């Protein structure tokens, strides 16, 4: 029997939403083992002086418990 857990993380990038997702999953995999998937719960941008300065994603990461 397999049991999985879902945890929520936030990642940010100055490049793009895709880069924020990539960085978030990569960082999570340093601590969480057995990651099976992730989905984007929310996307946000930070704006300063009318320009986008960073892209932020809230991710839900699913991993299998040992």
């Amino acid at each position: 029997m397999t049991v999985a857990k879902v945890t929520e993380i936030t990642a940010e990038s100055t490049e793009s939403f895709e880069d924020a997702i990539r960085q978030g999953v990569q960082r999570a995999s340093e601590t969480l083992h057995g990651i099976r998937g992730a989905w984007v719960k929310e996307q946000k941008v930070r704006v300063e002086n009318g320009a986008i300065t960073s892209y932020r994603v809230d991710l839900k990461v699913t991993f299998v418990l040992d």
Side-chain angles (χ1 to χ4, degrees), residues 5 11 13-14 18-19 21 25 29-30 33-34 36-38 46-48 52 55-56 59-60 65-66:
K5 181 170 175 63
S13 169
T14 57
E18 291 81 8
D19 188 52
I21 294 166
V25 171
S29 69
E30 293 175 14
H33 304 285
R36 296 290 184 244
R46 186 176 297 193
V47 177
E48 293 178 18
I52 296 173
Y55 302 83
R56 184 178 293 174
L59 297 169
K60 292 215 173 205
L65 298 177
D66 293 336

Side-chain angles (χ1 to χ4, degrees), residues 2-25:
T2 302
V3 177
K5 181 170 175 63
V6 177
T7 189
E8 190 168 335
I9 64 170
T10 300
E12 189 171 2
S13 169
T14 57
E15 301 298 317
S16 66
F17 286 119
E18 291 81 8
D19 188 52
I21 294 166
R22 217 175 355 265
Q23 286 186 39
V25 171

